[in-house]
Amino acid sequence: MAMNNIYYRFVHMAGDADYKTMPARLRMSVVAQPGVDKSDFELWSLAVSAINGCGACIEAHDHALKHAGILKEAIQQVVRIASVVHAVAANA
């Protein structure tokens, strides 16, 4: 996830549309078959993306979660929990 967040944050923030058409060439096979419930994986990925500040990844995971029928309140709760865990870890 961290690898994807860095790359896609760059693509999103660079503002050059050409980057969006270039292949990332990053190994992302775990995204296709995470080995856990897809909605759980998307929730965890959203939490990581929120902590890492990748707007493009946040949008993608939020969309996938809503498409899977996950309530907005549940999505918000995951990000709230991630923010608390991150704050505790940063101040430890």
Side-chain angles (χ1 to χ4, degrees), residues 1-55:
M1 251 328 104
M3 172 181 66
N4 292 342
N5 283 164
I6 297 298
Y7 179 78
Y8 288 107
R9 184 171 56 200
F10 160 75
V11 170
H12 180 73
M13 295 176 77
D16 186 329
D18 289 341
Y19 293 125
K20 293 178 182 177
T21 64
M22 300 168 116
R25 293 195 178 103
L26 299 173
R27 301 194 105 214
M28 297 183 279
S29 56
V30 72
V31 175
Q33 297 177 355
V36 296
D37 180 77
K38 184 69 172 163
S39 293
D40 286 341
F41 184 76
E42 288 291 337
L43 287 166
W44 301 335
S45 298
L46 175 65
V48 171
S49 297
I51 290 168
N52 289 335
C54 181

